[in-house]
Amino acid sequence: MTDVAAALAGLDRLAIEVPSWAYGNSGTRFKVFGTPGTPRTVQEKIADAAQVHKLTGLAPLVALHIPWDKVEDYTALKAYAKDLGVGLGTVNSNTFQDDEYKFGSLTHVDKNVRRKAIDHHFECMDVMDATGSRDLKIWLADGTNYPGQGDIRGRQDRLAESLAEIYARLGDSQRLVLEYKFFEPAFYHTDVPDWGTSYAHTLALGEKAKVCLDTGHHAPGTNIEFIVAQLLRLGKLGSFDFNSRFYADDDLIVGAADPYQLFRIMYEVIRGGALDPQNQVALMLDQCHNLEEKIPGQIRSVLNVQEMTARALLVDRTALGEAQETGDVLGANAIFIDAFYTDIRPALAQWRESRGLPADPLAAYAASGYQKKINDERVGGTQAGWGA
Ligand code: PSV
Ligand code: MN
């Protein structure tokens, strides 16, 4: 078994990006429940995100979604975030909420709609220039509901053309990450359904284009850690959208549904060198807190990623390599299982204390009075949600 202290030293490389929208209201198509203290503005979302970083030391960046987080002055927004101890991360585009996009955006048959969608990405790049964000994340709702509805191949050609135009405007230190999803809102086919399609497009675009893997965007039973290993091997994994799912794209707290799967993913992340900063893989959350309190929900999420990373760091890779080479099936599997079942929580509490962080970030949040303060202060206005 790997030495715990040595394994935990690897945790200093862990930095998780939190999504601004996790602090706003969300729900299902049946009901969105509001909660007291929900941010009304992007500044309030960033202030909430800063609490997560302050208490865990794990979440230094906040991802933005445009237009949900639109402001007049992004340089000022960056300075505001910096004052609170966080930075602005990935800029997420949105081509799924305008009427013109009913039949697609970057793939649309009408060149005027494609123009609008491409220009929206240019607008996102202007935001990135001001915020210093590295990544432009593209997820498309494009697809069809019925066989025959669209020319699947023609849509791919238009997608490639539109992406090339967006890619050409990236600055030297900027990247494009293309997220895939096999269904929803389109139900028959989506235009970027899987990692292979995202890989094909990003490969054609060039070095600055990578794949974004959202853990909730696979068919049940998919071996996600295999995809992680393959994309890292190919140098094409740009970012994660972490969350967990029981059924569809549930966007629940990462590690809540299947901690062992998260452990296996983090093992491949470590194995593939993706915790090393030079490999530039963004570990983002993409979650919604429909029922639970949002800030504690985000704290729980980053702690889950940390805990499964710590357990994955415990895997004795030398012993594992020997077992694999000698065909010791159960021995190799036991090495994995031993690491997964190690209760690392007391060691993590110590790790936090040694860095001036609270041993129990959730208890520290409850005791901080922050929730009461925002509940009292944030009265009136419109609570943020997916439309704002
Ligand atoms: C789509 O389901 C998605 O995962 C994309 O990342 C969007 O930008 C995001 O959800 C919105 O939460
Ligand atoms: Mn996502």
Side-chain angles (χ1 to χ4, degrees):
M1 173 65 71
T2 305
D3 174 51
V4 173
L8 291 198
L11 281 185
D12 287 323
R13 291 175 287 158
L14 192 63
I16 301 157
E17 217 176 305
V18 292
S20 68
W21 53 100
Y23 302 90
N25 287 328
S26 59
T28 66
R29 63 200 167 97
F30 298 102
K31 171 73 181 165
V32 173
F33 296 101
T35 31
T38 295
R40 284 89 38 97
T41 62
V42 63
Q43 286 84 358
E44 290 179 350
K45 295 180 198 174
I46 292 170
D48 291 359
Q51 291 297 309
V52 177
H53 186 47
K54 186 176 146 206
L55 296 171
T56 64
L58 289 172
L61 291 176
V62 187
L64 301 177
H65 218 296
I66 304 296
W68 300 340
D69 297 322
K70 218 168 165 160
V71 290
E72 283 293 312
D73 184 346
Y74 291 96
T75 312
L77 192 69
K78 179 187 180 183
Y80 170 84
K82 189 163 179 247
D83 281 348
L84 292 173
V86 291
L88 300 177
T90 303
V91 173
N92 292 255
S93 64
N94 181 326
T95 57
F96 47 90
Q97 288 183 313
D98 287 2
D99 285 337
E100 287 96 323
Y101 298 138
K102 182 172 177 180
F103 296 121
S105 61
L106 296 181
T107 65
H108 203 286
V109 285
D110 181 343
K111 71 173 183 335
N112 295 319
V113 178
R114 296 204 299 279
R115 181 76 264 145
K116 176 182 154 96
I118 293 166
D119 286 346
H120 167 66
H121 287 89
F122 290 167
E123 179 196 352
C124 290
M125 287 178 190
D126 292 340
V127 174
M128 291 163 71
D129 291 339
T131 56
S133 301
R134 184 190 58 196
D135 292 345
L136 170 67
K137 195 179 94 201
I138 305 182
W139 170 73
L140 302 171
D142 296 38
T144 62
N145 276 1
Y146 296 98
Q149 180 193 325
D151 173 12
I152 290 176
R153 174 149 173 183
R155 294 174 72 94
Q156 284 299 302
D157 296 339
R158 292 190 289 275
L159 174 60
E161 257 175 45
S162 302
L163 287 173
E165 204 174 328
I166 295 166
Y167 183 83
R169 247 209 64 177
L170 285 173
D172 287 344
S173 55
Q174 294 174 337
R175 311 188 308 176
L176 175 165
V177 292
L178 183 61
E179 180 175 353
Y180 59 91
K181 179 172 179 177
F182 76 119
F183 89 111
E184 198 203 24
F187 293 123
Y188 165 59
H189 104 280
T190 68
D191 291 302
V192 189
D194 49 29
W195 74 268
T197 304
S198 181
Y199 177 70
H201 281 289
T202 55
L203 190 67
L205 290 170
E207 263 300 297
K208 289 184 286 182
K210 308 271 179 194
V211 177
C212 170
L213 184 158
D214 183 314
T215 50
H217 291 182
H218 305 87
T222 302
N223 182 337
I224 297 174
E225 59 270 26
F226 176 83
I227 300 171
V228 173
Q230 181 70 295
L231 287 173
L232 284 172
R233 195 184 144 258
L234 298 166
K236 276 291 183 188
L237 183 61
S239 62
F240 281 96
D241 271 6
F242 279 122
N243 50 58
S244 62
R245 51 166 282 170
F246 288 100
Y247 301 104
D249 186 24
D250 304 344
D251 281 341
L252 297 176
I253 289 174
V254 56
D258 185 352
Y260 188 37
Q261 181 187 61
L262 179 58
F263 164 87
R264 299 191 311 262
I265 290 171
M266 293 318 296
Y267 176 77
E268 290 305 332
V269 164
I270 296 161
R271 165 75 178 83
L275 283 192
D276 304 338
Q278 75 272 14
N279 285 335
Q280 303 198 324
V281 178
L283 305 177
M284 240 194 68
L285 305 181
D286 180 9
Q287 294 183 180
C288 297
H289 302 292
N290 299 353
L291 303 177
E292 67 276 22
E293 285 189 325
K294 302 171 205 317
I295 300 170
Q298 287 284 287
I299 294 174
R300 173 87 275 156
S301 306
V302 297
L303 294 179
N304 283 355
V305 175
Q306 185 187 42
E307 193 175 335
M308 289 308 137
T309 306
R311 294 198 203 184
L313 284 164
L314 280 180
V315 172
D316 184 339
R317 285 174 57 189
T318 312
L320 183 64
E322 279 163 21
Q324 288 169 344
E325 273 164 39
T326 55
D328 183 0
V329 177
L330 291 181
N333 183 236
I335 290 166
F336 248 59
I337 291 176
D338 280 348
F340 174 64
Y341 279 116
T342 306
D343 187 359
I344 198 88
R345 288 173 294 182
L348 283 175
Q350 274 177 14
W351 180 93
R352 282 182 204 110
E353 279 183 323
S354 70
R355 283 156 181 79
L357 295 162
D360 181 345
L362 280 165
Y365 178 72
S368 71
Y370 184 82
Q371 191 67 49
K372 177 167 180 347
K373 181 172 157 288
I374 58 173
N375 291 357
D376 293 345
E377 279 173 11
R378 295 178 185 170
V379 176
T382 308
Q383 297 194 329
W386 272 31

